[in-house]
Amino acid sequence: DAGLQWPPGAPFAKAVRDAIGVRDPEGEIQMVRKGVIEPDADLRDFENVPLEEDVEDYLKREVLPHVPDAWIDHTKTKIGYEIPVTRHFYVYEPPRPLSEIDAELKALEAEIQTLLSQVTE
């Protein structure tokens, strides 16, 4: 009635879809862009594939039995190696005994009381 039109373009359509759309995991695919299905970013996940293993073989063996419609976006595939520094170099140090911690807290409380008494005099 006001003679205004909806803003053109995908950003506005995405904002409207996100604001009033309702997700249905069992529903049919609704998002198509230039003939390519647009993935749902809320369902995105990643896997750490062993370096010497083929990504496609890993997908077939480890992922597809649990998520049959999973696929790989090869534009986001990264090749590298993770070095778990903590696992290799962490040395466990047990906490101090509770009695020692309690004694230190009591000494600090006494020091705070002394400082407060000097300020209030």
Side-chain angles (χ1 to χ4, degrees):
D1 290 342
L4 301 175
Q5 295 182 355
W6 293 106
F12 178 75
K14 182 180 182 308
V16 170
R17 182 182 68 224
D18 291 344
I20 62 174
V22 178
R23 294 188 189 279
D24 182 8
E26 303 300 321
E28 61 186 50
I29 296 172
Q30 295 291 318
M31 300 175 284
V32 177
R33 182 180 58 189
K34 297 182 182 177
V36 177
I37 297 172
E38 184 179 346
D40 185 353
D42 291 344
L43 300 177
R44 186 172 294 143
D45 199 4
F46 70 93
E47 291 281 332
N48 288 328
V49 180
L51 190 60
E52 59 274 348
E53 190 166 348
D54 181 52
V55 177
E56 297 293 337
D57 292 340
Y58 182 88
L59 176 75
K60 289 175 189 169
R61 187 183 74 248
E62 299 290 336
V63 179
L64 291 179
H66 306 286
V67 185
D69 59 344
W71 54 280
I72 299 172
D73 183 1
H74 289 287
T75 62
K76 297 185 184 202
T77 301
K78 296 179 184 176
I79 298 175
Y81 197 76
E82 178 182 8
I83 300 173
V85 176
T86 303
R87 186 184 319 155
H88 294 292
F89 299 106
Y90 177 74
V91 177
Y92 176 73
E93 293 181 13
R96 297 182 295 162
L98 187 58
S99 58
E100 183 181 322
I101 295 171
D102 194 36
E104 185 178 334
L105 286 174
K106 288 184 194 256
L108 288 172
E109 285 177 4
E111 183 181 346
I112 290 170
Q113 288 295 334
T114 305
L115 291 172
L116 282 174
S117 67
Q118 290 174 359
V119 171
T120 55
E121 289 179 358

